[in-house]
Amino acid sequence: LPSGLVLASDSRSNAGIDQIQAVRKLEVLAEPGRRLIAIQSAGNLATTQSVISNLKQALGRGVLGEDLYGANTMFEAAQIVGDMLRRITDRDAHYVQPYGDVSASFLVSGQIVGEAPRLFEVYQAGNFVEASQRSAFLQIGETKYGKPILDRALNPDNSLDEAAKLALLSFDATIRSNLSVGLPIDMLRYETDSFSAVNLVTIPEHNAYWRELRRGYGEGLTALVAGLPAPPSAEALGAATGAKGGGA
Amino acid sequence: LPSGLVLASDSRSNAGIDQIQAVRKLEVLAEPGRRLIAIQSAGNLATTQSVISNLKQALGRGVLGEDLYGANTMFEAAQIVGDMLRRITDRDAHYVQPYGDVSASFLVSGQIVGEAPRLFEVYQAGNFVEASQRSAFLQIGETKYGKPILDRALNPDNSLDEAAKLALLSFDATIRSNLSVGLPIDMLRYETDSFSAVNLVTIPEHNAYWRELRRGYGEGLTALVAGLPAPPSAEALGAATGAKGGGA
């Protein structure tokens, strides 16, 4: 959004329904006042952790194409993450494939002095796409259940708080429908030109705000649907459109 | 629902994005006053049309295990559909596999005198499951985008009209997010013990009710989200939960 970025990641990692753990999938790397780079992960946990650990080790060492603090643009930052993903995949894929899927994907976002905030999705192949005014959000991982509310209600004019509510409701939709997603949710509301992660929050399970948000949305939705007009009868539709509405 | 069944099917059939056509995926077979059986299709169109045509040809011929008008229960009806699917798959799979996926699935629902209305999902393997009070809806085809609103708002106490609105909003969510689903929508509101398809309607593209439903829901949703409380700040969350909310 022109006002900034809203980033949200759940914490559920699973290798089958009986091996579930809570992990952090949102990493924030910041040089206060100069750059803030956030990396969100989905996919094979060994792969994503290896990519993140290697990128952190390279921070500030000045190696071209490896050091995120040396990136002059967020485009370069996305390229560095994609290249590291390719290196880890090249290293591990052959050994991991007999046991499962080695692939991973990332959202790389943030702001570097001299640019507006930017948001990229790094595919498992290491290439990447950028969000724009016309497609203002990107998702990785279990993306389908949470997409409709963003398609319907997210507007580039939204404030960060409005967009943050939609991000949480998008997660709630996925959590209700899919076991592989779960709280806590890490969420950063990054304000344009702040170069700061001061608004990074963790919403834990059994949180009062989360309960209130779900309750308010559920009740409001029921009332909203109740207030919409009922679908027309076969006669009304036939009269209005000339379409055949009769039974078999 | 205790009040009856709401069945909705879109009309989009596609074999790639440049081969799209409108087809009927909701068939209603009725013996007025005695039985109403609805069959909804998803998957390979040649397979589903072959299953439906064979079942229609067998109607009233009295062949055990083939004639849906000879089924004494909806369970038997689901079994007949599953067996026919197996027969068509056995016949075609070997020839079709080099070109694409032969598989198909069905929702088989309705009421036969002596039973309450029932709803089954017939898997591509020909086996099937039944909906219940605890899982009051079943979906086939492109199921993910349309699931959250049903998970959140469908209640077994809903009237048929309330459930019908939710079914249409569920389709709208999918239509917004996925090209493989499109109007017209065929929808039957079947009232328990009516044994009639009088409430079978077709909602065409550019229909005034459909436009009004989408507009009313979209505007209502935006207002609903705007009225929900904003997510707490890092300080507020830290104070409330003791969780670490600071930046990296």
Side-chain angles (χ1 to χ4, degrees):
Chain A
L1 311 169
S3 54
L5 296 161
V6 172
L7 312 173
S9 287
D10 81 310
S11 301
R12 184 69 56 86
S13 175
N14 71 305
I17 56 169
D18 55 359
Q19 194 179 342
I20 288 178
Q21 54 182 326
V23 298
R24 188 173 187 85
K25 305 189 208 168
L26 166 59
E27 284 293 331
V28 179
L29 311 170
E31 290 184 296
R34 290 177 51 198
R35 83 179 67 225
L36 180 136
I37 300 174
I39 307 176
Q40 295 170 268
S41 312
N44 184 301
L45 185 62
T47 302
T48 61
Q49 288 188 345
S50 183
V51 169
I52 299 290
S53 288
N54 274 287
L55 289 170
K56 280 181 162 174
Q57 282 180 25
L59 278 183
R61 297 205 177 168
V63 179
L64 195 70
E66 287 189 17
D67 184 354
L68 283 167
Y69 285 174
N72 295 308
T73 62
M74 284 304 302
F75 182 88
E76 286 181 23
Q79 204 156 32
I80 288 171
V81 176
D83 287 350
M84 186 60 79
L85 175 59
R86 287 177 179 172
R87 195 187 311 170
I88 303 302
T89 307
D90 286 346
R91 197 184 129 86
D92 287 354
H94 172 73
Y95 298 95
V96 176
Q97 260 149 14
Y99 308 100
D101 186 0
V102 74
S103 73
S105 57
F106 298 93
L107 296 179
V108 180
S109 64
Q111 185 175 16
I112 295 174
V113 161
E115 287 194 318
R118 298 171 77 176
L119 165 63
F120 296 86
E121 176 176 348
V122 177
Y123 297 122
Q124 58 187 74
N127 57 344
F128 49 87
V129 294
E130 183 171 6
S132 67
Q133 283 275 98
R134 289 196 183 173
S135 58
F137 67 90
L138 292 171
Q139 299 171 287
I140 54 174
E142 177 55 66
T143 58
K144 286 193 165 188
Y145 302 115
K147 189 166 181 283
I149 192 170
L150 300 176
D151 277 331
R152 210 185 288 267
L154 183 65
N155 184 320
D157 298 332
N158 282 155
S159 69
L160 291 184
D161 278 351
E162 287 301 295
K165 284 187 263 179
L166 290 173
L168 292 175
L169 291 169
S170 166
F171 266 101
D172 183 48
T174 310
I175 286 167
R176 281 171 181 265
S177 298
N178 188 291
L179 277 179
S180 73
V181 175
L183 265 57
I185 291 174
D186 297 308
M187 184 170 72
L188 173 63
R189 279 162 282 177
Y190 173 76
E191 206 174 309
T192 298
D193 296 334
S194 71
F195 301 98
S196 147
V198 66
N199 276 324
L200 178 65
V201 300
T202 299
I203 296 176
E205 283 195 272
H206 314 299
N207 171 261
Y209 171 75
W210 176 253
R211 264 201 315 274
E212 177 59 22
L213 183 76
R214 289 166 65 111
R215 194 194 55 73
Y217 185 69
E219 290 179 7
L221 200 67
T222 302
L224 166 57
V225 173
L228 295 172
S233 66
E235 295 82 37
L237 260 177
T241 67
K244 180 180 171 296
Chain B
L1 312 168
S3 54
L5 296 161
V6 172
L7 312 173
S9 287
D10 81 310
S11 301
R12 184 68 57 87
S13 175
N14 71 305
I17 57 167
D18 55 357
Q19 194 178 343
I20 288 178
Q21 52 182 326
V23 298
R24 190 173 183 84
K25 305 189 206 168
L26 166 59
E27 285 291 332
V28 180
L29 311 170
E31 291 185 295
R34 290 177 51 197
R35 85 179 65 225
L36 180 135
I37 299 174
I39 308 178
Q40 294 169 268
S41 311
N44 184 300
L45 184 62
T47 302
T48 61
Q49 288 188 343
S50 184
V51 168
I52 299 291
S53 289
N54 274 286
L55 289 169
K56 280 180 162 177
Q57 282 179 25
L59 278 183
R61 296 206 177 166
V63 179
L64 196 70
E66 287 189 17
D67 184 354
L68 284 168
Y69 285 173
N72 295 308
T73 63
M74 284 303 302
F75 181 88
E76 286 181 23
Q79 204 156 32
I80 288 170
V81 176
D83 287 350
M84 186 59 79
L85 175 59
R86 287 177 179 171
R87 196 188 309 169
I88 303 302
T89 307
D90 286 346
R91 198 185 129 86
D92 288 353
H94 172 73
Y95 297 94
V96 176
Q97 259 149 16
Y99 308 100
D101 186 1
V102 74
S103 73
S105 57
F106 297 92
L107 296 178
V108 180
S109 63
Q111 187 176 14
I112 295 174
V113 161
E115 287 194 319
R118 298 171 76 176
L119 165 63
F120 295 87
E121 176 176 348
V122 177
Y123 297 122
Q124 58 187 73
N127 56 344
F128 49 88
V129 294
E130 183 172 6
S132 67
Q133 283 274 99
R134 288 195 184 173
S135 58
F137 67 90
L138 292 172
Q139 299 169 287
I140 54 174
E142 178 54 65
T143 58
K144 285 193 164 187
Y145 302 114
K147 189 165 181 281
I149 192 169
L150 300 175
D151 277 331
R152 209 185 289 266
L154 184 67
N155 184 320
D157 298 333
N158 281 155
S159 68
L160 291 185
D161 278 351
E162 287 301 297
K165 284 187 264 181
L166 291 172
L168 293 176
L169 291 169
S170 166
F171 266 101
D172 184 47
T174 310
I175 286 168
R176 281 171 180 269
S177 298
N178 188 292
L179 277 180
S180 73
V181 176
L183 266 57
I185 292 174
D186 297 307
M187 184 170 71
L188 174 63
R189 280 161 282 178
Y190 173 76
E191 206 175 307
T192 298
D193 296 335
S194 72
F195 300 99
S196 147
V198 66
N199 276 324
L200 178 64
V201 299
T202 299
I203 296 176
E205 281 195 273
H206 314 299
N207 170 260
Y209 171 74
W210 176 253
R211 264 201 315 273
E212 177 59 23
L213 183 76
R214 288 164 66 111
R215 193 194 56 75
Y217 185 68
E219 290 179 6
L221 199 68
T222 301
L224 166 57
V225 173
L228 295 172
S233 66
E235 295 81 40
L237 260 175
T241 66
K244 180 181 169 298

PDB file of all heavy atoms in Angstrom, chain A residues 87-116:
ATOM      1  N   ARG A  87      21.046 -22.195  -4.301  1.00  0.00           N
ATOM      2  CA  ARG A  87      22.256 -22.861  -3.816  1.00  0.00           C
ATOM      3  C   ARG A  87      21.900 -23.996  -2.827  1.00  0.00           C
ATOM      4  O   ARG A  87      22.424 -25.101  -2.916  1.00  0.00           O
ATOM      5  CB  ARG A  87      23.179 -21.838  -3.151  1.00  0.00           C
ATOM      6  CG  ARG A  87      24.578 -22.401  -2.967  1.00  0.00           C
ATOM      7  CD  ARG A  87      25.465 -21.482  -2.149  1.00  0.00           C
ATOM      8  NE  ARG A  87      25.420 -20.095  -2.622  1.00  0.00           N
ATOM      9  CZ  ARG A  87      25.955 -19.080  -1.957  1.00  0.00           C
ATOM     10  NH1 ARG A  87      26.578 -19.285  -0.806  1.00  0.00           N
ATOM     11  NH2 ARG A  87      25.870 -17.861  -2.430  1.00  0.00           N
ATOM     12  N   ILE A  88      20.962 -23.690  -1.903  1.00  0.00           N
ATOM     13  CA  ILE A  88      20.574 -24.706  -0.920  1.00  0.00           C
ATOM     14  C   ILE A  88      19.853 -25.865  -1.603  1.00  0.00           C
ATOM     15  O   ILE A  88      20.078 -27.038  -1.283  1.00  0.00           O
ATOM     16  CB  ILE A  88      19.654 -24.077   0.158  1.00  0.00           C
ATOM     17  CG1 ILE A  88      20.348 -22.903   0.844  1.00  0.00           C
ATOM     18  CG2 ILE A  88      19.204 -25.124   1.155  1.00  0.00           C
ATOM     19  CD1 ILE A  88      21.659 -23.235   1.506  1.00  0.00           C
ATOM     20  N   THR A  89      18.996 -25.534  -2.583  1.00  0.00           N
ATOM     21  CA  THR A  89      18.262 -26.592  -3.283  1.00  0.00           C
ATOM     22  C   THR A  89      19.230 -27.475  -4.071  1.00  0.00           C
ATOM     23  O   THR A  89      19.118 -28.706  -4.059  1.00  0.00           O
ATOM     24  CB  THR A  89      17.201 -25.965  -4.220  1.00  0.00           C
ATOM     25  OG1 THR A  89      16.395 -25.065  -3.469  1.00  0.00           O
ATOM     26  CG2 THR A  89      16.306 -27.028  -4.824  1.00  0.00           C
ATOM     27  N   ASP A  90      20.193 -26.852  -4.746  1.00  0.00           N
ATOM     28  CA  ASP A  90      21.184 -27.636  -5.490  1.00  0.00           C
ATOM     29  C   ASP A  90      21.930 -28.592  -4.558  1.00  0.00           C
ATOM     30  O   ASP A  90      22.243 -29.725  -4.917  1.00  0.00           O
ATOM     31  CB  ASP A  90      22.208 -26.699  -6.165  1.00  0.00           C
ATOM     32  CG  ASP A  90      21.622 -25.977  -7.367  1.00  0.00           C
ATOM     33  OD1 ASP A  90      20.534 -26.386  -7.828  1.00  0.00           O
ATOM     34  OD2 ASP A  90      22.234 -24.991  -7.834  1.00  0.00           O
ATOM     35  N   ARG A  91      22.224 -28.102  -3.354  1.00  0.00           N
ATOM     36  CA  ARG A  91      22.977 -28.876  -2.374  1.00  0.00           C
ATOM     37  C   ARG A  91      22.165 -30.042  -1.823  1.00  0.00           C
ATOM     38  O   ARG A  91      22.671 -31.160  -1.666  1.00  0.00           O
ATOM     39  CB  ARG A  91      23.337 -27.920  -1.235  1.00  0.00           C
ATOM     40  CG  ARG A  91      24.423 -28.344  -0.318  1.00  0.00           C
ATOM     41  CD  ARG A  91      24.547 -27.289   0.804  1.00  0.00           C
ATOM     42  NE  ARG A  91      24.521 -27.980   2.076  1.00  0.00           N
ATOM     43  CZ  ARG A  91      25.605 -28.490   2.657  1.00  0.00           C
ATOM     44  NH1 ARG A  91      26.780 -28.335   2.108  1.00  0.00           N
ATOM     45  NH2 ARG A  91      25.496 -29.148   3.791  1.00  0.00           N
ATOM     46  N   ASP A  92      20.874 -29.795  -1.516  1.00  0.00           N
ATOM     47  CA  ASP A  92      20.078 -30.749  -0.738  1.00  0.00           C
ATOM     48  C   ASP A  92      19.114 -31.621  -1.541  1.00  0.00           C
ATOM     49  O   ASP A  92      18.761 -32.719  -1.085  1.00  0.00           O
ATOM     50  CB  ASP A  92      19.255 -29.993   0.317  1.00  0.00           C
ATOM     51  CG  ASP A  92      20.117 -29.474   1.455  1.00  0.00           C
ATOM     52  OD1 ASP A  92      21.325 -29.800   1.478  1.00  0.00           O
ATOM     53  OD2 ASP A  92      19.591 -28.750   2.320  1.00  0.00           O
ATOM     54  N   ALA A  93      18.651 -31.131  -2.694  1.00  0.00           N
ATOM     55  CA  ALA A  93      17.509 -31.782  -3.353  1.00  0.00           C
ATOM     56  C   ALA A  93      17.753 -33.276  -3.589  1.00  0.00           C
ATOM     57  O   ALA A  93      16.887 -34.108  -3.292  1.00  0.00           O
ATOM     58  CB  ALA A  93      17.194 -31.076  -4.672  1.00  0.00           C
ATOM     59  N   HIS A  94      18.926 -33.613  -4.086  1.00  0.00           N
ATOM     60  CA  HIS A  94      19.215 -34.998  -4.432  1.00  0.00           C
ATOM     61  C   HIS A  94      19.055 -35.925  -3.219  1.00  0.00           C
ATOM     62  O   HIS A  94      18.576 -37.052  -3.339  1.00  0.00           O
ATOM     63  CB  HIS A  94      20.639 -35.093  -4.989  1.00  0.00           C
ATOM     64  CG  HIS A  94      21.113 -36.494  -5.206  1.00  0.00           C
ATOM     65  ND1 HIS A  94      20.656 -37.287  -6.240  1.00  0.00           N
ATOM     66  CD2 HIS A  94      21.981 -37.263  -4.487  1.00  0.00           C
ATOM     67  CE1 HIS A  94      21.231 -38.477  -6.162  1.00  0.00           C
ATOM     68  NE2 HIS A  94      22.043 -38.491  -5.117  1.00  0.00           N
ATOM     69  N   TYR A  95      19.454 -35.424  -2.026  1.00  0.00           N
ATOM     70  CA  TYR A  95      19.413 -36.266  -0.822  1.00  0.00           C
ATOM     71  C   TYR A  95      18.024 -36.305  -0.181  1.00  0.00           C
ATOM     72  O   TYR A  95      17.658 -37.269   0.476  1.00  0.00           O
ATOM     73  CB  TYR A  95      20.437 -35.765   0.205  1.00  0.00           C
ATOM     74  CG  TYR A  95      21.852 -35.852  -0.309  1.00  0.00           C
ATOM     75  CD1 TYR A  95      22.461 -34.764  -0.899  1.00  0.00           C
ATOM     76  CD2 TYR A  95      22.565 -37.053  -0.227  1.00  0.00           C
ATOM     77  CE1 TYR A  95      23.744 -34.844  -1.404  1.00  0.00           C
ATOM     78  CE2 TYR A  95      23.846 -37.156  -0.729  1.00  0.00           C
ATOM     79  CZ  TYR A  95      24.434 -36.049  -1.313  1.00  0.00           C
ATOM     80  OH  TYR A  95      25.695 -36.152  -1.827  1.00  0.00           O
ATOM     81  N   VAL A  96      17.276 -35.211  -0.364  1.00  0.00           N
ATOM     82  CA  VAL A  96      15.988 -35.091   0.321  1.00  0.00           C
ATOM     83  C   VAL A  96      14.858 -35.744  -0.466  1.00  0.00           C
ATOM     84  O   VAL A  96      13.910 -36.275   0.110  1.00  0.00           O
ATOM     85  CB  VAL A  96      15.669 -33.592   0.580  1.00  0.00           C
ATOM     86  CG1 VAL A  96      14.289 -33.423   1.206  1.00  0.00           C
ATOM     87  CG2 VAL A  96      16.745 -32.972   1.480  1.00  0.00           C
ATOM     88  N   GLN A  97      14.967 -35.729  -1.806  1.00  0.00           N
ATOM     89  CA  GLN A  97      13.851 -36.173  -2.636  1.00  0.00           C
ATOM     90  C   GLN A  97      13.284 -37.552  -2.272  1.00  0.00           C
ATOM     91  O   GLN A  97      12.061 -37.733  -2.315  1.00  0.00           O
ATOM     92  CB  GLN A  97      14.217 -36.101  -4.123  1.00  0.00           C
ATOM     93  CG  GLN A  97      13.636 -34.847  -4.784  1.00  0.00           C
ATOM     94  CD  GLN A  97      14.490 -34.323  -5.923  1.00  0.00           C
ATOM     95  OE1 GLN A  97      15.381 -35.009  -6.421  1.00  0.00           O
ATOM     96  NE2 GLN A  97      14.221 -33.100  -6.338  1.00  0.00           N
ATOM     97  N   PRO A  98      14.116 -38.536  -1.901  1.00  0.00           N
ATOM     98  CA  PRO A  98      13.506 -39.823  -1.533  1.00  0.00           C
ATOM     99  C   PRO A  98      12.551 -39.728  -0.340  1.00  0.00           C
ATOM    100  O   PRO A  98      11.684 -40.589  -0.170  1.00  0.00           O
ATOM    101  CB  PRO A  98      14.720 -40.694  -1.185  1.00  0.00           C
ATOM    102  CG  PRO A  98      15.865 -40.074  -1.900  1.00  0.00           C
ATOM    103  CD  PRO A  98      15.577 -38.599  -1.931  1.00  0.00           C
ATOM    104  N   TYR A  99      12.698 -38.681   0.488  1.00  0.00           N
ATOM    105  CA  TYR A  99      11.889 -38.587   1.708  1.00  0.00           C
ATOM    106  C   TYR A  99      10.781 -37.563   1.627  1.00  0.00           C
ATOM    107  O   TYR A  99       9.876 -37.573   2.450  1.00  0.00           O
ATOM    108  CB  TYR A  99      12.795 -38.261   2.903  1.00  0.00           C
ATOM    109  CG  TYR A  99      13.970 -39.191   3.012  1.00  0.00           C
ATOM    110  CD1 TYR A  99      15.224 -38.815   2.548  1.00  0.00           C
ATOM    111  CD2 TYR A  99      13.806 -40.472   3.529  1.00  0.00           C
ATOM    112  CE1 TYR A  99      16.295 -39.677   2.606  1.00  0.00           C
ATOM    113  CE2 TYR A  99      14.875 -41.353   3.596  1.00  0.00           C
ATOM    114  CZ  TYR A  99      16.118 -40.949   3.134  1.00  0.00           C
ATOM    115  OH  TYR A  99      17.166 -41.808   3.188  1.00  0.00           O
ATOM    116  N   GLY A 100      10.875 -36.631   0.677  1.00  0.00           N
ATOM    117  CA  GLY A 100       9.841 -35.604   0.611  1.00  0.00           C
ATOM    118  C   GLY A 100      10.264 -34.442  -0.260  1.00  0.00           C
ATOM    119  O   GLY A 100      11.277 -34.500  -0.963  1.00  0.00           O
ATOM    120  N   ASP A 101       9.492 -33.396  -0.172  1.00  0.00           N
ATOM    121  CA  ASP A 101       9.651 -32.248  -1.043  1.00  0.00           C
ATOM    122  C   ASP A 101      10.631 -31.252  -0.422  1.00  0.00           C
ATOM    123  O   ASP A 101      10.428 -30.771   0.678  1.00  0.00           O
ATOM    124  CB  ASP A 101       8.275 -31.591  -1.229  1.00  0.00           C
ATOM    125  CG  ASP A 101       8.307 -30.467  -2.244  1.00  0.00           C
ATOM    126  OD1 ASP A 101       9.381 -30.193  -2.811  1.00  0.00           O
ATOM    127  OD2 ASP A 101       7.238 -29.875  -2.461  1.00  0.00           O
ATOM    128  N   VAL A 102      11.694 -30.924  -1.121  1.00  0.00           N
ATOM    129  CA  VAL A 102      12.713 -30.018  -0.601  1.00  0.00           C
ATOM    130  C   VAL A 102      12.344 -28.551  -0.835  1.00  0.00           C
ATOM    131  O   VAL A 102      12.977 -27.650  -0.300  1.00  0.00           O
ATOM    132  CB  VAL A 102      14.085 -30.327  -1.256  1.00  0.00           C
ATOM    133  CG1 VAL A 102      14.094 -29.829  -2.707  1.00  0.00           C
ATOM    134  CG2 VAL A 102      15.235 -29.703  -0.487  1.00  0.00           C
ATOM    135  N   SER A 103      11.287 -28.302  -1.610  1.00  0.00           N
ATOM    136  CA  SER A 103      11.072 -26.947  -2.123  1.00  0.00           C
ATOM    137  C   SER A 103      10.577 -25.969  -1.059  1.00  0.00           C
ATOM    138  O   SER A 103       9.997 -26.347  -0.047  1.00  0.00           O
ATOM    139  CB  SER A 103      10.108 -26.979  -3.301  1.00  0.00           C
ATOM    140  OG  SER A 103       8.808 -27.223  -2.856  1.00  0.00           O
ATOM    141  N   ALA A 104      10.813 -24.696  -1.318  1.00  0.00           N
ATOM    142  CA  ALA A 104      10.422 -23.621  -0.415  1.00  0.00           C
ATOM    143  C   ALA A 104      10.169 -22.370  -1.246  1.00  0.00           C
ATOM    144  O   ALA A 104      10.586 -22.265  -2.394  1.00  0.00           O
ATOM    145  CB  ALA A 104      11.527 -23.346   0.607  1.00  0.00           C
ATOM    146  N   SER A 105       9.450 -21.435  -0.651  1.00  0.00           N
ATOM    147  CA  SER A 105       9.238 -20.145  -1.311  1.00  0.00           C
ATOM    148  C   SER A 105       9.269 -19.049  -0.252  1.00  0.00           C
ATOM    149  O   SER A 105       9.142 -19.324   0.948  1.00  0.00           O
ATOM    150  CB  SER A 105       7.921 -20.137  -2.086  1.00  0.00           C
ATOM    151  OG  SER A 105       6.852 -20.448  -1.230  1.00  0.00           O
ATOM    152  N   PHE A 106       9.440 -17.809  -0.705  1.00  0.00           N
ATOM    153  CA  PHE A 106       9.629 -16.695   0.231  1.00  0.00           C
ATOM    154  C   PHE A 106       8.872 -15.454  -0.234  1.00  0.00           C
ATOM    155  O   PHE A 106       8.670 -15.260  -1.441  1.00  0.00           O
ATOM    156  CB  PHE A 106      11.124 -16.327   0.329  1.00  0.00           C
ATOM    157  CG  PHE A 106      11.986 -17.433   0.866  1.00  0.00           C
ATOM    158  CD1 PHE A 106      12.612 -18.334   0.014  1.00  0.00           C
ATOM    159  CD2 PHE A 106      12.165 -17.587   2.240  1.00  0.00           C
ATOM    160  CE1 PHE A 106      13.399 -19.359   0.508  1.00  0.00           C
ATOM    161  CE2 PHE A 106      12.950 -18.607   2.741  1.00  0.00           C
ATOM    162  CZ  PHE A 106      13.566 -19.498   1.878  1.00  0.00           C
ATOM    163  N   LEU A 107       8.471 -14.644   0.727  1.00  0.00           N
ATOM    164  CA  LEU A 107       8.107 -13.267   0.434  1.00  0.00           C
ATOM    165  C   LEU A 107       9.255 -12.390   0.938  1.00  0.00           C
ATOM    166  O   LEU A 107       9.660 -12.511   2.102  1.00  0.00           O
ATOM    167  CB  LEU A 107       6.808 -12.869   1.136  1.00  0.00           C
ATOM    168  CG  LEU A 107       5.544 -13.618   0.711  1.00  0.00           C
ATOM    169  CD1 LEU A 107       4.344 -13.129   1.525  1.00  0.00           C
ATOM    170  CD2 LEU A 107       5.277 -13.442  -0.772  1.00  0.00           C
ATOM    171  N   VAL A 108       9.778 -11.576   0.066  1.00  0.00           N
ATOM    172  CA  VAL A 108      10.872 -10.666   0.426  1.00  0.00           C
ATOM    173  C   VAL A 108      10.345  -9.243   0.260  1.00  0.00           C
ATOM    174  O   VAL A 108       9.903  -8.868  -0.826  1.00  0.00           O
ATOM    175  CB  VAL A 108      12.097 -10.881  -0.480  1.00  0.00           C
ATOM    176  CG1 VAL A 108      13.215  -9.922  -0.085  1.00  0.00           C
ATOM    177  CG2 VAL A 108      12.564 -12.332  -0.393  1.00  0.00           C
ATOM    178  N   SER A 109      10.351  -8.487   1.329  1.00  0.00           N
ATOM    179  CA  SER A 109       9.742  -7.154   1.267  1.00  0.00           C
ATOM    180  C   SER A 109      10.483  -6.196   2.173  1.00  0.00           C
ATOM    181  O   SER A 109      11.310  -6.597   2.991  1.00  0.00           O
ATOM    182  CB  SER A 109       8.276  -7.243   1.697  1.00  0.00           C
ATOM    183  OG  SER A 109       8.194  -7.653   3.049  1.00  0.00           O
ATOM    184  N   GLY A 110      10.173  -4.937   2.020  1.00  0.00           N
ATOM    185  CA  GLY A 110      10.788  -3.936   2.871  1.00  0.00           C
ATOM    186  C   GLY A 110      11.092  -2.675   2.103  1.00  0.00           C
ATOM    187  O   GLY A 110      10.506  -2.413   1.040  1.00  0.00           O
ATOM    188  N   GLN A 111      12.012  -1.918   2.641  1.00  0.00           N
ATOM    189  CA  GLN A 111      12.349  -0.643   2.014  1.00  0.00           C
ATOM    190  C   GLN A 111      13.830  -0.347   2.226  1.00  0.00           C
ATOM    191  O   GLN A 111      14.380  -0.593   3.307  1.00  0.00           O
ATOM    192  CB  GLN A 111      11.504   0.486   2.627  1.00  0.00           C
ATOM    193  CG  GLN A 111      11.700   1.835   1.938  1.00  0.00           C
ATOM    194  CD  GLN A 111      10.792   2.914   2.466  1.00  0.00           C
ATOM    195  OE1 GLN A 111      10.204   2.762   3.534  1.00  0.00           O
ATOM    196  NE2 GLN A 111      10.671   4.021   1.737  1.00  0.00           N
ATOM    197  N   ILE A 112      14.462   0.143   1.185  1.00  0.00           N
ATOM    198  CA  ILE A 112      15.849   0.595   1.255  1.00  0.00           C
ATOM    199  C   ILE A 112      15.848   2.078   0.904  1.00  0.00           C
ATOM    200  O   ILE A 112      15.129   2.499  -0.013  1.00  0.00           O
ATOM    201  CB  ILE A 112      16.743  -0.216   0.282  1.00  0.00           C
ATOM    202  CG1 ILE A 112      16.792  -1.688   0.738  1.00  0.00           C
ATOM    203  CG2 ILE A 112      18.142   0.379   0.192  1.00  0.00           C
ATOM    204  CD1 ILE A 112      17.528  -2.621  -0.201  1.00  0.00           C
ATOM    205  N   VAL A 113      16.626   2.871   1.625  1.00  0.00           N
ATOM    206  CA  VAL A 113      16.629   4.330   1.404  1.00  0.00           C
ATOM    207  C   VAL A 113      16.776   4.656  -0.082  1.00  0.00           C
ATOM    208  O   VAL A 113      17.639   4.087  -0.763  1.00  0.00           O
ATOM    209  CB  VAL A 113      17.770   5.000   2.213  1.00  0.00           C
ATOM    210  CG1 VAL A 113      18.099   6.381   1.659  1.00  0.00           C
ATOM    211  CG2 VAL A 113      17.364   5.129   3.671  1.00  0.00           C
ATOM    212  N   GLY A 114      15.922   5.535  -0.579  1.00  0.00           N
ATOM    213  CA  GLY A 114      15.955   5.902  -1.989  1.00  0.00           C
ATOM    214  C   GLY A 114      14.853   5.266  -2.810  1.00  0.00           C
ATOM    215  O   GLY A 114      14.624   5.675  -3.949  1.00  0.00           O
ATOM    216  N   GLU A 115      14.179   4.235  -2.248  1.00  0.00           N
ATOM    217  CA  GLU A 115      13.078   3.556  -2.932  1.00  0.00           C
ATOM    218  C   GLU A 115      11.828   3.624  -2.065  1.00  0.00           C
ATOM    219  O   GLU A 115      11.906   3.789  -0.847  1.00  0.00           O
ATOM    220  CB  GLU A 115      13.377   2.060  -3.101  1.00  0.00           C
ATOM    221  CG  GLU A 115      14.396   1.691  -4.123  1.00  0.00           C
ATOM    222  CD  GLU A 115      14.305   0.185  -4.402  1.00  0.00           C
ATOM    223  OE1 GLU A 115      14.146  -0.602  -3.439  1.00  0.00           O
ATOM    224  OE2 GLU A 115      14.400  -0.194  -5.573  1.00  0.00           O
ATOM    225  N   ALA A 116      10.662   3.406  -2.711  1.00  0.00           N
ATOM    226  CA  ALA A 116       9.441   3.145  -1.956  1.00  0.00           C
ATOM    227  C   ALA A 116       9.492   1.704  -1.436  1.00  0.00           C
ATOM    228  O   ALA A 116      10.318   0.905  -1.898  1.00  0.00           O
ATOM    229  CB  ALA A 116       8.228   3.337  -2.858  1.00  0.00           C
TER     230      ALA A 116
END
